[in-house]
Amino acid sequence: MPAATGTQQLPQEKLAEDLDELEEAMTGLQVLYEKYFLGIDRRPPDAQRRQVSEKMRLLKTTQVKNTALKFRIQTLFAKLISFERMWDRTLREMEEGTYKRDVFKAKLRDARRGAGQKPAESPAGPSSPQLSDQMIRKLYDTYVVARQRTGESTSGLTYDAIASRIRAQVPELMARHKARNIEFKVVIKGGKAVLKAIPRT
């Protein structure tokens, strides 16, 4: 979409699609920030945030006649502003040394208990040479956070179940793709959290 010098008008169907994409991108951005605050990622998602903010600004300057779409734009804008204030406050706490990661983790644990999920211990068996327990634990934490942010149930979602599923898939995927290793990441697709396998040849 070209940058607008003033206001612009889009067909309602195209605008609705853009809003769907923006809402999905905002959910993904929230997951990325929570990964950073948990220590899973080493850097904050600055580039992704700029992309979301720019798209929001473009949509905010779009002329909209449809009342429902106009309300949706205003709602998403207010939601993004609220998220950005929370992210910036947490980033300042991290810079000042007052941020308590343990408190953040405790809040996530409470949220999971509220969803009916029981904490699980790492299996005692040997780790896969491709995916260590630590790597799967981080992947599992990210997946749970993503499902919570997309409004999906985490009831019955345990570390053991996810670890077993991933480890069972690795040999088959390596053989199929003739890969040296298989990496996994959490993506938001169609408004749902998905575990995506990435073959490394």
Side-chain angles (χ1 to χ4, degrees):
M1 184 188 301
T5 53
T7 57
Q8 56 180 336
Q9 188 168 351
L10 295 175
Q12 288 186 15
E13 291 183 2
K14 178 64 168 64
L15 180 57
E17 289 178 4
D18 286 348
L19 287 170
D20 287 341
E21 291 177 3
L22 177 61
E23 190 164 12
E24 192 167 297
M26 284 173 58
T27 301
L29 182 60
Q30 190 175 10
V31 171
L32 290 175
Y33 264 107
E34 293 196 10
K35 285 174 64 181
Y36 175 65
F37 295 148
L38 282 168
I40 297 172
D41 287 346
R42 295 185 178 181
R43 296 181 180 178
D46 294 333
Q48 293 90 335
R49 178 173 173 175
R50 283 194 296 270
Q51 292 172 359
V52 169
S53 297
E54 177 64 22
K55 192 170 184 69
M56 185 74 257
R57 282 196 297 272
L58 287 173
L59 290 174
K60 195 76 169 56
T61 59
T62 300
Q63 293 179 349
V64 182
K65 295 181 179 179
N66 183 284
T67 304
L69 289 177
K70 185 183 296 184
F71 176 77
R72 191 177 174 195
I73 290 175
Q74 293 172 345
T75 301
L76 283 178
F77 180 72
K79 186 177 180 181
L80 180 60
I81 292 297
S82 176
F83 282 155
E84 287 185 331
R85 286 174 179 168
M86 178 182 65
W87 295 332
D88 289 341
R89 182 173 63 250
T90 306
L91 289 169
R92 281 197 303 271
E93 290 177 359
M94 293 176 76
E95 290 177 359
E96 295 167 359
T98 59
Y99 174 67
K100 304 294 185 182
R101 183 171 291 160
D102 290 341
V103 174
F104 188 79
K105 289 182 178 180
K107 289 180 180 178
L108 282 180
R109 283 197 298 271
D110 290 342
R112 291 169 190 169
R113 288 196 190 100
Q117 177 185 323
K118 297 179 181 179
E121 297 299 326
S122 298
S127 300
S128 164
Q130 289 80 29
L131 288 167
S132 66
D133 285 344
Q134 184 180 11
M135 292 168 65
I136 297 180
R137 174 64 68 180
K138 288 183 178 181
L139 187 67
Y140 168 75
D141 287 341
T142 303
Y143 184 55
V144 170
V145 169
R147 286 182 69 93
Q148 290 173 340
R149 291 296 165 250
T150 55
E152 298 174 83
S153 172
T154 58
S155 178
L157 190 66
T158 66
Y159 170 80
D160 287 339
I162 295 295
S164 297
R165 192 172 89 189
I166 289 174
R167 288 199 172 104
Q169 290 178 349
V170 168
E172 179 187 347
L173 290 170
M174 290 181 68
R176 185 192 308 169
H177 297 283
K178 297 180 179 178
R180 290 184 294 105
N181 196 4
I182 301 293
E183 294 181 4
F184 289 84
K185 70 176 182 178
V186 178
V187 298
I188 306 297
K189 186 175 182 180
K192 294 183 179 297
V194 178
L195 285 171
K196 182 178 180 181
I198 306 171
R200 299 299 185 189
T201 56

